[in-house]
């Protein structure tokens, strides 16, 4: 599932932006609903969201996120061969 969708927030129309506090359950719910990404226990009792999600993210998704945020895409070309900790850092 690589189609970009907006995160759901209560009372905010799609396309609108607003700073919103969201608890872990809300973040995980959005990741599951929008991308199909699940929290996976990576040896820290499921407490490391970046380690949990990084293996589920494709190189194309990373490239799109870097482009949207203006970040360099140097690590994206080798995404599939990067160690898990490096993927989580990116």
């Amino acid at each position: 599932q690589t189609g970009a969708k907006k995160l759901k927030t209560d009372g905010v129309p799609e396309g609108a932006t607003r700073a919103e506090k969201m608890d872990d359950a809300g973040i995980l719910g959005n990741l599951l609903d929008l991308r199909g990404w699940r929290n996976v226990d990576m040896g820290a009792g499921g407490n490391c969201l970046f380690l949990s999600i990084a293996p589920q993210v494709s190189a194309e998704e990373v490239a799109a996120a870097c482009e949207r945020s203006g970040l360099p895409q140097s690590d994206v070309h080798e995404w599939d061969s990067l160690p898990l900790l490096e993927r989580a850092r990116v």
Side-chain angles (χ1 to χ4, degrees), residues 3-89:
K5 296 180 185 175
K6 299 288 182 188
L7 294 179
K8 295 182 272 185
T9 54
D10 294 333
V12 179
E14 186 172 326
T17 58
R18 176 177 89 183
E20 171 121 2
K21 288 188 177 187
M22 190 178 296
D23 64 7
D24 289 349
I27 293 169
L28 291 169
N30 271 327
L31 291 172
L32 179 61
D33 291 348
L34 301 174
R35 298 289 186 175
W37 298 338
R38 299 181 180 282
N39 190 26
V40 179
D41 186 347
M42 302 300 288
N47 291 328
C48 186
L49 185 59
F50 292 112
L51 282 175
S52 178
I53 300 300
Q56 302 172 64
V57 179
S58 71
E60 293 82 17
E61 291 165 322
V62 175
C66 288
E67 186 176 321
R68 284 191 306 271
S69 63
L71 294 174
Q73 296 187 18
S74 57
D75 292 331
V76 173
H77 304 293
E78 295 118 20
W79 180 255
D80 293 328
S81 64
L82 287 176
L84 182 57
L85 289 175
E86 188 65 14
R87 286 188 187 188
R89 183 197 64 79

